[in-house]
Amino acid sequence: MKKTCFHYVWGLAISIGWTLNGCVSGASLNAELVKVETHGIHDELVYSSFLKSYEIVALSDSVPEALIKFPDRILFAEDRIFVVDKADNKLLMFDREGNFLKSTASMVGKGHNEYVRLMDVAMDKEGRTLYVHCDAPYQIIVFDFDLNLKEVVQTDYYMDEVVADGRFIYGIRTLYRDETGFELVALERDRLQDTPRVLLSFTGECLAG
């Protein structure tokens, strides 16, 4: 199943990330692919099994811009809560109490430093940086933790999912010549304009398996 593949792809991404961060630039990478089967994914998950405590934060909807159609990803850092809403094509920022602060809704468009469709967001807590990956056009928009624009990097590819770990941003990229396959790629955070390194490549057999 496709879901099973993504489980072990991201597990391998973390392991490979440790390897890449400990190696010198240009070193060869040899990784053994291990398929991990998942079971019981429909069982109930008890929060107390992995959480010591939790807090319920009601997010403000005081203005139309603060409304959320669907929370695809929620990121936490310092006193900020970031919500990725792909359905409404924006990244929203709230404070720790749930008060709405800002969003990227005003950047949707076809002009300079604007985007048509948001794909995913990766967070670098140490660098206090957010990497917003878009297609149409293909680009990575870099923000600080106050959602101030830092730079826009044009690319010739897009990734369905992205995550930041150490010096690298990892992404899952659909194969252009085979829409049923995909690649796990990595690019250095300080060299976003470079061609990403392909770490693993999967064919349609994996997605069907």
Side-chain angles (χ1 to χ4, degrees), residues 113 131 166 173:
N113 288 346
Y131 300 90
R173 181 172 67 177

Side-chain angles (χ1 to χ4, degrees), residues 81-159:
I81 301 172
F82 299 97
V83 179
V84 180
D85 184 359
K86 293 173 63 175
D88 209 20
N89 207 20
K90 63 188 177 184
L91 171 65
L92 303 94
M93 177 174 65
F94 300 84
D95 65 17
R96 185 179 179 86
E97 285 71 44
N99 299 307
F100 174 73
L101 300 176
K102 197 174 182 181
S103 87
T104 63
S106 63
M107 296 181 64
V108 177
K110 297 183 179 180
H112 181 64
N113 288 346
E114 293 182 336
Y115 65 89
V116 175
R117 184 167 57 186
L118 181 152
M119 296 300 295
D120 201 5
V121 179
M123 171 184 286
D124 170 24
K125 289 187 177 181
E126 293 186 1
R128 303 188 77 253
T129 302
L130 296 163
Y131 300 90
V132 178
H133 186 61
C134 309
D135 76 342
Y138 299 157
Q139 60 188 11
I140 298 175
I141 306 177
V142 184
F143 295 93
D144 63 19
F145 275 6
D146 293 317
L147 276 191
N148 295 316
L149 178 64
K150 297 177 65 176
E151 66 173 321
V152 178
V153 179
Q154 303 295 326
T155 67
D156 59 358
Y157 60 90
Y158 82 93
M159 297 176 285

Side-chain angles (χ1 to χ4, degrees):
M1 295 292 293
K2 182 175 181 179
K3 190 169 186 179
T4 302
C5 286
F6 277 95
H7 283 165
Y8 70 74
V9 165
W10 281 126
L12 284 171
I14 296 173
S15 301
I16 292 171
W18 292 337
T19 303
L20 287 175
N21 285 311
C23 296
V24 296
S25 178
S28 61
L29 175 64
N30 295 314
E32 180 182 357
L33 179 62
V34 179
K35 185 172 182 178
V36 178
E37 298 290 345
T38 58
H39 302 279
I41 59 176
H42 299 296
D43 294 344
E44 292 184 1
L45 181 64
V46 181
Y47 288 154
S48 60
S49 64
F50 63 94
L51 293 177
K52 292 183 179 180
S53 64
Y54 66 90
E55 179 181 353
I56 298 176
V57 179
L59 300 181
S60 168
D61 58 357
S62 56
V63 295
E65 188 179 349
L67 296 176
I68 301 171
K69 285 188 177 180
F70 187 83
D72 293 275
R73 187 189 295 271
I74 302 177
L75 304 169
F76 303 90
E78 301 175 359
D79 59 345
R80 295 284 191 264
I81 301 172
F82 299 97
V83 179
V84 180
D85 184 359
K86 293 173 63 175
D88 209 20
N89 207 20
K90 63 188 177 184
L91 171 65
L92 303 94
M93 177 174 65
F94 300 84
D95 65 17
R96 185 179 179 86
E97 285 71 44
N99 299 307
F100 174 73
L101 300 176
K102 197 174 182 181
S103 87
T104 63
S106 63
M107 296 181 64
V108 177
K110 297 183 179 180
H112 181 64
N113 288 346
E114 293 182 336
Y115 65 89
V116 175
R117 184 167 57 186
L118 181 152
M119 296 300 295
D120 201 5
V121 179
M123 171 184 286
D124 170 24
K125 289 187 177 181
E126 293 186 1
R128 303 188 77 253
T129 302
L130 296 163
Y131 300 90
V132 178
H133 186 61
C134 309
D135 76 342
Y138 299 157
Q139 60 188 11
I140 298 175
I141 306 177
V142 184
F143 295 93
D144 63 19
F145 275 6
D146 293 317
L147 276 191
N148 295 316
L149 178 64
K150 297 177 65 176
E151 66 173 321
V152 178
V153 179
Q154 303 295 326
T155 67
D156 59 358
Y157 60 90
Y158 82 93
M159 297 176 285
D160 296 309
E161 299 181 46
V162 292
V163 63
D165 182 64
R167 293 190 298 118
F168 294 89
I169 294 176
Y170 301 93
I172 295 178
R173 181 172 67 177
T174 301
L175 295 176
Y176 294 115
R177 289 168 295 188
D178 181 359
E179 290 298 323
T180 63
F182 61 92
E183 297 172 328
L184 174 64
V185 300
L187 61 159
E188 294 191 46
R189 291 188 289 105
D190 298 331
R191 304 179 65 177
L192 297 177
Q193 72 283 354
D194 290 359
T195 301
R197 299 169 60 182
V198 178
L199 306 181
L200 296 171
S201 183
F202 297 90
T203 64
E205 294 180 358
C206 171
L207 297 179

